[in-house]
Amino acid sequence: MKLDRTAYLTLALSLGVPVALALLNQTTEVGSALHIPTYVVALAGKYLCYAMLALAVDLVWGFAGILSLGHAAFFALGGYAMGMYLMRQIGTRGVYGNAELPDFMVFLGWHELPWYWQGSQWFPFAVAMALIVPGVLAMGFGWLAFRSRVTGVYLSIITQALTYALLLAFFRNDMGFGGNNGMTDFKDILGLNVQADSTRSALMVISALCLCVQYLVARFVVQSRFGKVLIAVRNTESRTRFLGYRPEAYKLVVWTLSAVMAGIGGALYVPQVGIINPSEFAPANSIEAVIWVAVGGRGTLSGAILGAVAVNFGKTWFTGMLPDYWLYALGALFIFVTLFLPKGIMGLFAKRAAKPVAVLEVAE
Amino acid sequence: MTETQTLPGDTLLYLGGVTVSFDGFRALNALSLVLEKGEMRAVIGPNGAGKTTMMDVITGKTRPDTGKVMFGVNTDLTQLDEPAIAALGIGRKFQKPTVFEPHTVWDNILLALAGDRKPRFSLWAKETAEERTRIESVLETVRMKDQRHRLGGDLSHGQKQWLEIGMLLAQEPQLLLVDEPVAGMTDAETEQTAELLREINKTRSVVVVEHDMAFVRALDVKVTVLHEGSVLSEGSIDNVSADPRVVEVYLGR
Ligand SMILES: Nc1ncnc2c1ncn2[C@@H]1O[C@H](COP(=O)(O)OP(=O)(O)OP(=O)(O)O)[C@@H](O)[C@H]1O
Ligand SMILES: [Mg+2]
């Protein structure tokens, strides 16, 4: 795999900034000029998880031409898998003091854990589920959709329907995932207090590491011959068929990989924000993720990370001042980018850096 | 007795009574055509005669309502989809040149090279010296050696035609279906293309659809005239040109 300047810069910033923030949070005194408050660490951790979601969206949208308007579903499923683990760690510290059942189940009058909660108290199991559940759902969905040659707007609409259906399902109390309220009031992760600043710093650095690994994996995929086929599929799908390629197989692989990446982001997100509820499946969340990618620069990978961090930074800042107008601002931003910055922020940089990865690496 | 039954071993492609309707309109109407191994055939006919539709049927894009489409003696093409048919060794150049615009000329050829098409392979595939040699030789044949770094999307219409022919060669098919290869080419380029197709025909079978009569004459092969979805006339270019029915519907317009 070839790494260019943009790639090194992306890795250096994605890892360097979080590590610096964590060090400044952990090694300096509260009140010192260099101290980074814990809420900043928590925010940075959240942005890094969103960046993983954006990377996942860019992989399918930027390179395979699949505009997913339902990617937050995979993120949320990863989050729920981790949320279940975190619920089980509460034990007798819950309101009802039930060692076996999470509070919401006691409240519903349930007497035993449903079968699908078995194993969730075990961390490696939860991590595995955070990968497997989004992956398997994506594989099933993709198998049906790509095999039937559903593309373009129709595919976007059914991805949106997928996340909406999950939203409605997770709202139901009898699904056994906490209904409307979801899961919250987490206490520990791997025996460490989730609220402690040391845990928060560690989770943020782990998120940064995961983001870097995902970035490298995504780059490897798009620079490989597989990636060239994907770009060919994005450009003229039918032509690839007459050359003997099966675009549905290529899409299925990248789609599933992308869902798993989003799931990892979600699993890291939940312990850092301290809550997971059905609103994470809201169609608007998936659309926001697409906007991050468009703002950063579609088909550049680095741009997805940049877009996710920049837009969410803007969101935090903006909602602090004018909370009611954020959606208008986001819409305006999207229109602005579409009209004036078709290549996103990455397109503003030096011409070489602005070229999509796939084009960059062809020169021998 | 049909020709296939008398000479089964020599038949590469057999279309028997193929009918394709679009909303009741018969684009192909009981079309029959036999192509022998190693043959080059020119297919002509007025706009809407069904030439492209015939290629769609052979390559699996369109399923015929009725009729047989056989490759060799025992492969029924109507049961296969596009990638499977491509894998059998049938390559196609489209009427509207279709190359991968975001890719370089080099990568366009690389993606077309005969070889494993599975994601599992392509994920780890490294460009080998052997592949490079094959790409070089294709570029040489289609005279695009100095264009290798250019993007498909930046090529002129004629260059796209050549690149697409190059991709077709890289696929190493047994049978090439070439839909209007010289559209948008200068006279000199047209002549070169005819020469190239004759060269290709030394090792492969070819079906060429073309409107350009000078080009068809230059190919000097058996000609099939399609009209309203069926064969109107077949024979040498001089014979079909003299056929009064052909003169009426096509040449004499
Ligand atoms: N997918 C389709 N749906 C409806 N009608 C179609 C379709 N494809 C082709 N046709 C019709 O079938 C007829 C034959 O079309 P075809 O493209 O095969 O003609 P052609 O001989 O290749 O003509 P040309 O010389 O213009 O390329 C035309 O009348 C066309 O409009
Ligand atoms: Mg045609």
Side-chain angles (χ1 to χ4, degrees):
Chain A
M1 178 166 44
K2 273 164 254 157
L3 292 179
D4 58 6
R5 281 219 314 265
T6 315
Y8 284 119
L9 195 63
T10 304
L11 289 168
L13 289 175
S14 302
L15 195 57
V17 174
V19 167
L21 292 177
L23 284 175
L24 290 175
N25 174 258
Q26 287 298 297
T27 59
T28 59
E29 293 299 319
V30 179
S32 113
L34 287 175
H35 185 71
I36 291 291
T38 303
Y39 83 88
V40 173
V41 170
L43 270 181
K46 194 165 102 169
Y47 295 167
L48 290 166
C49 296
Y50 286 148
M52 286 184 243
L53 174 58
L55 204 55
V57 169
D58 195 26
L59 191 57
V60 290
W61 185 36
F63 296 89
I66 306 168
L67 174 55
S68 172
L69 295 180
H71 246 56
F74 304 124
F75 183 84
L77 287 170
Y80 265 97
M82 185 55 73
M84 288 162 79
Y85 163 80
L86 294 168
M87 283 309 268
R88 298 292 298 278
Q89 305 310 301
I90 298 173
T92 54
R93 289 170 290 182
V95 176
Y96 295 104
N98 188 317
E100 191 58 24
L101 296 184
D103 278 351
F104 72 85
M105 291 188 196
V106 180
F107 182 75
L108 290 174
W110 293 8
H111 297 293
E112 57 185 44
L113 275 179
W115 61 268
Y116 49 84
W117 274 75
Q118 302 301 330
S120 58
Q121 75 280 18
W122 196 44
F123 185 77
F125 182 86
V127 171
M129 282 299 144
L131 309 181
I132 292 170
V133 173
V136 168
L137 176 71
M139 206 185 275
F141 176 91
W143 189 75
L144 290 170
F146 303 143
R147 206 178 51 121
S148 333
R149 301 193 181 176
V150 181
T151 53
V153 182
Y154 299 99
L155 187 64
S156 300
I157 291 171
I158 60 170
T159 56
Q160 181 103 105
L162 171 76
T163 195
Y164 192 63
L166 286 166
L167 169 77
L168 296 181
F170 276 75
F171 256 124
R172 296 167 58 100
N173 281 325
D174 54 11
M175 274 283 282
F177 295 108
N180 190 9
N181 298 322
M183 307 175 194
T184 188
D185 284 333
F186 307 134
K187 309 288 186 216
D188 332 303
I189 181 166
L190 290 168
L192 303 166
N193 179 359
V194 280
Q195 307 282 354
D197 27 324
S198 55
T199 314
R200 287 186 172 282
S201 290
L203 282 169
M204 179 193 54
V205 171
I206 291 167
S207 304
L209 281 170
C210 284
L211 176 64
C212 290
V213 171
Q214 289 195 5
Y215 175 74
L216 289 171
V217 168
R219 248 189 105 89
F220 171 79
V221 168
V222 303
Q223 288 190 343
S224 68
R225 191 172 300 177
F226 177 96
K228 290 180 184 176
V229 177
L230 276 188
I231 290 167
V233 167
R234 183 192 71 194
N235 180 240
T236 21
E237 180 167 340
S238 67
R239 190 73 183 86
T240 62
R241 279 205 188 91
F242 293 105
L243 282 180
Y245 292 98
R246 294 196 172 276
E248 61 275 20
Y250 280 77
K251 288 184 186 175
L252 188 59
V253 171
V254 77
W255 175 254
T256 305
L257 171 67
S258 168
V260 170
M261 286 166 55
I264 295 171
L268 282 157
Y269 174 80
V270 169
Q272 301 188 76
V273 298
I275 182 166
I276 174 80
N277 63 32
S279 70
E280 295 298 337
F281 288 106
N285 285 19
S286 297
I287 294 171
E288 267 192 55
V290 169
I291 296 178
W292 306 336
V293 175
V295 169
R298 175 188 173 197
T300 59
L301 298 180
S302 303
I305 298 176
L306 180 64
V309 173
V311 176
N312 281 293
F313 187 79
K315 182 177 184 174
T316 304
W317 179 75
F318 200 96
T319 47
M321 301 194 323
L322 295 166
D324 294 339
Y325 295 99
W326 167 244
L327 276 181
Y328 297 102
L330 187 68
L333 177 68
F334 185 56
I335 292 168
F336 177 82
V337 167
T338 313
L339 291 180
F340 302 108
L341 282 181
K343 288 179 183 161
I345 304 174
M346 292 299 282
L348 286 175
F349 294 149
K351 232 184 169 185
R352 272 192 57 212
K355 283 192 185 169
V357 187
V359 177
L360 250 189
E361 121 281 8
V362 289
E364 289 157 313
Chain B
M1 260 201 185
T2 68
E3 281 169 89
T4 34
Q5 281 159 330
T6 47
L7 290 167
D10 288 343
T11 304
L12 183 67
L13 181 70
Y14 169 76
L15 277 76
V18 174
T19 298
V20 172
S21 313
F22 297 112
D23 307 322
F25 169 76
R26 292 197 165 187
L28 292 184
N29 192 0
L31 173 71
S32 296
L33 185 136
V34 179
L35 188 78
E36 281 171 27
K37 272 193 188 133
E39 187 182 346
M40 169 143 64
R41 177 75 56 91
V43 176
I44 61 174
N47 289 109
K51 306 179 296 290
T52 300
T53 307
M54 179 187 84
M55 292 196 168
D56 288 346
V57 165
I58 300 169
T59 54
K61 188 180 174 206
T62 303
R63 293 235 179 286
D65 303 332
T66 54
K68 278 181 90 170
V69 185
M70 302 292 289
F71 187 57
V73 244
N74 41 28
T75 312
D76 181 357
L77 295 181
T78 60
Q79 299 306 309
L80 302 173
D81 66 358
E82 302 99 313
I85 292 173
L88 281 176
I90 300 184
R92 171 171 189 184
K93 195 206 87 60
F94 289 80
Q95 181 164 351
K96 175 179 177 290
T98 319
V99 300
F100 300 125
E101 305 206 330
H103 284 310
T104 55
V105 166
W106 181 274
D107 279 349
N108 267 279
I109 306 282
L110 173 72
L111 290 179
L113 280 188
D116 197 332
R117 273 7 183 181
K118 291 199 189 64
R120 202 181 320 137
F121 169 81
S122 65
L123 205 45
W124 309 105
K126 289 261 173 298
E127 207 173 281
T128 63
E130 190 254 329
E131 285 174 329
R132 254 174 247 140
T133 319
R134 281 162 68 197
I135 297 173
E136 292 285 355
S137 108
V138 169
L139 289 177
E140 175 89 61
T141 312
V142 296
R143 300 185 178 87
M144 292 193 83
K145 284 195 109 158
D146 7 311
Q147 314 285 330
R148 66 182 68 193
H149 296 307
R150 290 185 65 197
L151 294 182
D154 294 341
L155 300 177
S156 72
H157 190 82
Q159 286 170 322
K160 282 183 187 166
Q161 298 272 42
W162 283 83
L163 174 56
E164 207 182 354
I165 295 172
M167 290 165 75
L168 201 49
L169 285 176
Q171 261 182 283
E172 298 178 12
Q174 282 187 68
L175 171 62
L176 288 81
L177 306 175
V178 193
D179 204 347
E180 303 204 14
V182 298
M185 285 190 183
T186 62
D187 286 353
E189 287 171 335
T190 300
E191 220 163 278
Q192 286 172 358
T193 308
E195 196 182 304
L196 175 62
L197 286 178
R198 277 197 303 268
E199 184 64 35
I200 292 169
N201 181 231
K202 286 181 181 158
T203 49
R204 303 167 203 286
S205 311
V206 185
V207 174
V208 201
V209 163
E210 192 45 79
H211 279 295
D212 185 324
M213 292 314 286
F215 175 77
V216 175
R217 207 166 270 284
L219 288 179
D220 191 25
V221 294
K222 187 169 167 185
V223 178
T224 298
V225 186
L226 289 195
H227 177 53
E228 292 178 352
S230 5
V231 175
L232 185 69
S233 183
E234 211 163 67
S236 74
I237 182 73
D238 292 325
N239 281 345
V240 301
S241 320
D243 186 330
R245 288 170 306 172
V246 176
V247 173
E248 190 188 332
V249 304
Y250 185 51
L251 299 167
R253 281 184 306 164

